[in-house]
Amino acid sequence: MSIGLTEEHRALAESVRGLAGRGIDRAALARQGLFGVHVPESRGGQGFGLPELCVVLEELGRARAGGTFLPTVLAAAVLGDGNPLLDGLADGTLTATVVLSGTATALGPAGADLFLVPVDGGWALLDRSSVTAEPLEGVDLDRPLCAVTVTEVPEGRELGPVPVRELAAVLIGAEACGLAAWAVDTAASYAKVREQFGRPIGQFQGVKHRVAAALVALEQARAAVWDAARALDTAGRTAAGRKAASGIDADEAGLAVAVAAVLAPDAAVRCTADAIQVLGGIGYTFEHDAHRYYRRALSGRMLAGDPGEWSERVARLAAAGTRRAMEPDLPEEAAALRAQIRARARELAGEEPLARLGRFAREGWIMPHLPKPWGRAATPLEQVVIHQEFRELKRPNLGIAAWAVPSIVAYGTREQQERFLPGTFTGEIVWCQLFSEPGAGSDLAGLSTKATRVEGGWSLSGQKIWTSLAQYAHWGICLARTSPDKHRGITYFLVDMATPGVTVRPLKEINGEEIFNEVFLDDVFVPDDLVVGEVDHGWKVARDTLSHERVALGDSWGPGSQHTDMMRLVTARDGLRPSQWEQAGRLWAEGQAISALGLRVTLSQLSGGGAGTAASVRKLLGMRHAQAISEFCWSVDPSSRYWNRMILTTRAFTIGGGTTEVQLNIIAERALGLPRDP
């Protein structure tokens, strides 16, 4: 998934990619109209906005295009419609250099036509004759830098307090995503073919996990940059610098920008450094381009500004109550649909709680994406609107059943569906999951629980572990071996937890609670009509269940309330050190980007795309983030009963529902095509 999500964005990216294949220079960029992507059509541009410009810059970053493109489009982005210099910037006949850092260091050549410089609390766009500029040697061999001194500011050249640094952070962030994408692709491609010790290095988990983790950092950065670009556009920081009559609060846009500035430049440095590590010695030489991407990433991070300052800005804005809304922009047809669903929601709100719950179940509102009669066969657009309109009605949380129900719908018999689903939806039937075993944790298909054929059904014997809420469950979804083949010898059963031979023993966890259990199955009889799917083909059903588990865990165990709880703690404490403010800001930035990633998945599905490995990426990020927040908050207030509990509780998050290592394997193998473990 790149920064752009729509078909138009993908077409734009493809056109820039094609240009890169033929060789990129200023004339080629101008011929394709890329200098004016974000400039109004009335001034010779293409009339798009910052998101489209970010799509272009990501692809140019992937190609490591140098030259004057980035500072020139940045200068154009801050000019008003009436500025006479806009035409020349939009068609590429004028070039610009921009002073970005706290010193006089500028992005662009000393011989540029125009210089965007800070003056008296604002900014000015000056001719070359109004400055002195000397080339500077930087770490990036392909991008010119210079030192600029302003000699005069002629009348009419001041622009006022335009958001130059904010725009620069987003545009540099977009380029950083392209650099990181090249690095991840290059490292993965090399890891597939480079052999050591008789096998591809991508098969070694040390390499596989490094590359997968780099992809996770890239996707988080993309989400942050995408959100910042659309926030600035919505807030009215358009190509011509117009102020929108309506839109999001300027502080909200500023928060989104700061989040992108914290995450994207760092992601580029990390990914390019990891690419060099995977490439080994050749990556450290001039024989390979990896060092040039690393140099560009380092230079971009310097130009974007101190990450610590951006982190503190995030923390201060969040502490002041600024929040970034993560709601999808829906098409026009959503209006009529919303009116219908809102009317149904109001009708349901007037029901007594038990009657409302019954209607939730009968009318398919609990899991509306399921086919009728168990759901509403809702399209992605309908699902989004239902989610929005039913927020206040608090549909029941099905827990483990949310993973079991879709598999029963997809593979169960009609009799099984009618027997179990209505009671599950109303909460009368509580489920547990009998999958994991002491000897087969992450290697789920290595289970040893046996199911032996007996008259009228099966006899199950074995031990399950880490079974959440088994002591309260009425039924369990259970995997057992019915033949020796590892994957094609597993069958999926529904087990009545009150059956003779089922013994549940709670396990006390490190936080003192007893959520997990070990379950012993001693000749437990399960009739034939409680086999889901075909005998020996239960692994297919189990994979369906696991796909829903990863989505559910990623949604419910992510930063969520802990995210806001952290800021509530920070604002209530006096005397936090600057380093603590920076850490809180980075944690908030990471959490906000996870939310943006979730929104991008929704929008991708609305446009007909798939989620890909996003569920694993979101779960990985969410679980680690919840742990990091708990650790930070506990360090700030170690006397808090709540954070004492949460620092222990969240330790399980990177284990349950597929360990961090399993998620990295999934990402590496499915998204990057790295070889499976032997």
Side-chain angles (χ1 to χ4, degrees):
M1 192 181 291
S2 60
I3 287 177
L5 295 178
T6 67
E7 285 294 336
E8 292 80 4
H9 285 168
R10 286 189 283 270
L12 176 59
E14 191 62 37
S15 69
V16 178
R17 203 171 299 141
L19 179 64
R22 298 189 299 272
I24 296 176
D25 57 28
R26 180 178 163 193
L29 293 168
R31 282 194 302 271
Q32 199 156 316
L34 297 180
F35 281 99
V37 163
H38 57 314
V39 173
E41 291 180 278
S42 61
R43 300 305 303 273
Q46 296 192 40
F48 296 112
L50 291 178
E52 289 75 20
L53 183 55
C54 285
V55 169
V56 172
L57 280 164
E58 181 180 26
E59 291 304 322
L60 292 179
R62 192 191 298 266
R64 196 176 40 80
T68 59
F69 183 81
L70 199 159
T72 299
V73 297
L74 173 56
V78 301
L79 295 185
D81 283 354
N83 195 301
L85 298 173
L86 185 58
D87 298 311
L89 292 170
D91 64 18
T93 55
L94 292 177
T95 60
T97 286
V98 183
V99 176
L100 289 175
S101 67
T103 66
T105 303
L107 169 61
D113 301 303
L114 300 170
F115 290 79
L116 183 59
V117 298
V119 292
D120 298 329
W123 294 80
L125 188 61
L126 307 178
D127 294 325
R128 191 187 314 167
S129 59
S130 297
V131 303
T132 59
E134 297 293 333
L136 288 177
E137 182 177 341
V139 69
D140 187 346
L141 302 177
D142 306 305
R143 167 174 281 166
L145 299 177
C146 62
V148 175
T149 303
V150 176
T151 57
E152 63 172 341
V153 182
E155 185 177 350
R157 303 309 290 270
E158 293 192 30
L159 304 176
V162 289
V164 175
R165 290 195 172 95
E166 289 76 11
L167 285 162
V170 175
L171 300 185
I172 291 172
E175 183 190 62
C177 290
L179 299 171
W182 177 91
V184 171
D185 291 345
T186 298
S189 297
Y190 185 77
K192 294 174 190 176
V193 298
R194 172 63 168 167
E195 292 191 359
Q196 291 283 274
F197 307 104
R199 54 186 173 131
I201 63 172
Q203 204 171 57
F204 294 98
Q205 283 200 344
V207 174
K208 179 183 292 187
H209 289 184
R210 180 184 291 272
V211 181
L215 177 62
V216 170
L218 165 60
E219 290 299 337
Q220 189 176 41
R222 278 173 167 158
V225 171
W226 165 82
D227 184 53
R230 73 190 189 100
L232 282 179
D233 255 14
T234 306
R237 308 285 207 264
T238 61
R242 297 183 297 273
K243 185 67 179 175
S246 63
I248 65 174
D249 183 87
D251 283 343
E252 186 179 338
L255 179 62
V257 168
V259 166
V262 169
L263 298 176
D266 268 359
V269 173
R270 171 187 176 163
C271 292
T272 52
D274 282 345
I276 292 174
Q277 186 70 24
V278 172
L279 290 165
I282 191 67
Y284 189 68
T285 69
F286 271 68
E287 300 298 316
H288 200 284
D289 281 344
H291 76 101
R292 293 185 179 272
Y293 280 84
Y294 178 57
R295 289 169 178 269
R296 173 66 57 83
L298 289 172
S299 176
R301 186 169 65 178
M302 178 271 294
L303 292 165
D306 181 2
E309 291 182 9
W310 284 113
S311 294
E312 186 169 352
R313 183 182 298 191
V314 169
R316 298 292 183 184
L317 283 168
T322 303
R323 298 292 181 266
R324 178 74 179 116
M326 293 292 175
E327 294 290 347
D329 297 323
L330 300 181
E332 292 182 3
E333 58 264 30
L337 178 64
R338 185 181 300 281
Q340 297 172 11
I341 293 173
R342 181 171 293 172
R344 299 297 296 276
R346 287 174 177 169
E347 179 187 341
L348 286 163
E351 296 272 14
E352 291 296 322
L354 285 178
R356 183 190 309 139
L357 179 59
R359 288 189 60 182
F360 277 157
R362 291 192 304 273
E363 297 174 15
W365 295 110
I366 296 178
M367 301 183 78
H369 63 284
L370 294 177
K372 295 179 180 179
W374 314 118
R376 301 182 63 83
T379 65
L381 178 59
E382 290 172 313
Q383 292 173 50
V384 171
V385 176
I386 290 170
H387 173 74
Q388 293 174 336
E389 295 299 324
F390 275 64
R391 278 197 184 109
E392 301 303 320
L393 291 180
K394 297 181 179 178
R395 289 173 292 169
N397 182 353
L398 298 183
I400 305 296
W403 315 335
V405 165
S407 297
I408 295 174
V409 169
Y411 296 97
T413 64
R414 186 68 179 184
E415 291 74 18
Q416 289 170 347
Q417 294 165 2
E418 291 176 349
R419 178 178 177 182
F420 292 107
L421 298 186
T424 298
F425 287 139
T426 57
E428 297 168 76
I429 300 176
V430 176
W431 291 83
C432 65
Q433 185 188 64
L434 301 166
F435 280 16
S436 294
E437 298 186 2
S442 297
D443 182 18
L444 186 59
L447 60 89
S448 59
T449 295
K450 290 185 178 180
T452 305
R453 170 64 77 178
V454 297
E455 183 178 355
W458 301 83
S459 177
L460 275 59
S461 293
Q463 181 184 355
K464 300 293 182 176
I465 200 165
W466 318 128
T467 308
S468 299
L469 303 176
Q471 67 270 53
Y472 308 113
H474 304 107
W475 287 84
I477 49 176
C478 181
L479 299 182
R481 185 161 302 286
T482 45
S483 64
D485 188 282
K486 181 174 183 179
H487 291 93
R488 295 184 180 178
I490 293 173
T491 300
Y492 195 107
F493 296 93
L494 305 180
V495 175
D496 184 345
M497 297 298 287
T499 304
V502 176
T503 303
V504 178
R505 188 172 76 86
L507 297 168
K508 182 168 286 190
E509 296 141 40
I510 63 173
N511 61 4
E513 296 182 353
E514 294 180 348
I515 303 295
F516 297 148
N517 300 267
E518 54 183 347
V519 179
F520 300 91
L521 306 171
D522 297 308
D523 294 325
V524 175
F525 177 71
V526 179
D528 282 323
D529 61 4
L530 293 181
V531 171
V532 179
E534 299 179 47
V535 173
D536 289 342
H537 292 275
W539 184 245
K540 182 179 180 181
V541 187
R543 284 172 63 89
D544 179 82
T545 302
L546 292 172
S547 69
H548 291 283
E549 179 183 21
R550 292 189 184 104
V551 173
L553 283 174
D555 287 341
S556 61
W557 282 11
S561 62
Q562 287 192 353
H563 196 47
T564 52
D565 287 348
M566 175 193 71
M567 198 49 63
R568 194 176 299 116
L569 170 66
V570 167
T571 54
R573 303 285 292 189
D574 294 326
L576 257 64
R577 299 186 302 276
S579 62
Q580 290 176 311
W581 279 105
E582 288 182 22
Q583 188 175 354
R586 184 166 190 91
L587 287 170
W588 186 277
E590 291 170 353
Q592 186 167 301
I594 294 170
S595 297
L597 182 59
L599 178 56
R600 280 168 58 80
V601 171
T602 298
L603 292 174
S604 178
Q605 292 173 327
L606 285 173
S607 64
T613 57
S616 289
V617 169
R618 289 175 65 207
K619 179 186 185 300
L620 188 75
L621 288 170
M623 302 309 95
R624 294 191 310 201
H625 187 254
Q627 290 176 340
I629 285 181
S630 297
E631 290 168 5
F632 169 73
C633 291
W634 181 79
S635 72
V636 171
D637 187 6
S639 63
S640 165
R641 292 182 61 187
Y642 176 76
W643 291 114
N644 267 281
R645 175 177 170 272
M646 290 310 300
I647 194 173
L648 299 175
T649 299
T650 56
R651 185 44 43 201
F653 285 12
T654 48
I655 301 172
T659 67
T660 295
E661 291 71 26
V662 169
Q663 303 302 325
L664 287 170
N665 274 357
I666 291 171
I667 294 166
E669 293 165 7
R670 298 184 188 174
L672 298 173
L674 292 179
R676 296 178 63 86
D677 292 342

